[in-house]
Amino acid sequence: MDLGDGARHDAWVVELDWWGMGKDQNDFSPGGGVNGTAGSGGKYWVLKNPPAGVPPVVRISTEVAETVDQVMQLQGGGSSGF
């Protein structure tokens, strides 16, 4: 993937569903998602070998609405780095 530093970085893409905890600490889900989960927990891009000073998770995509995703990605920036 591209982090804006001119290099290619290998990453895993992990897709999760949300689960919650009930008041009795039993796993539960409001449903609506795949296999009865609460719905999309989003996608996370995890670098296989993050460069020094770069966190392993560099991109997150979260479902805001059924037709809208919010994507956040770190980019290189000036002298402050990542």
Side-chain angles (χ1 to χ4, degrees):
M1 69 179 303
D2 180 11
L3 299 179
D5 60 1
R8 291 185 54 85
H9 301 275
D10 290 332
W12 289 287
V13 179
V14 180
E15 188 168 357
L16 302 173
D17 287 327
W18 289 124
W19 283 84
M21 298 296 288
K23 68 177 185 175
D24 298 324
Q25 300 304 309
N26 294 321
D27 286 335
F28 84 103
S29 171
V34 177
N35 296 324
T37 65
S40 175
K43 290 183 182 179
Y44 300 82
W45 281 255
V46 182
L47 294 176
K48 292 182 180 181
N49 297 300
V54 177
V57 177
V58 292
R59 182 187 293 166
I60 300 170
S61 175
T62 304
E63 184 180 287
V64 176
E66 191 172 309
T67 59
V68 179
D69 287 340
Q70 176 179 359
V71 178
M72 296 166 282
Q73 178 172 325
L74 295 178
Q75 292 289 326
S79 61
S80 63
F82 290 89

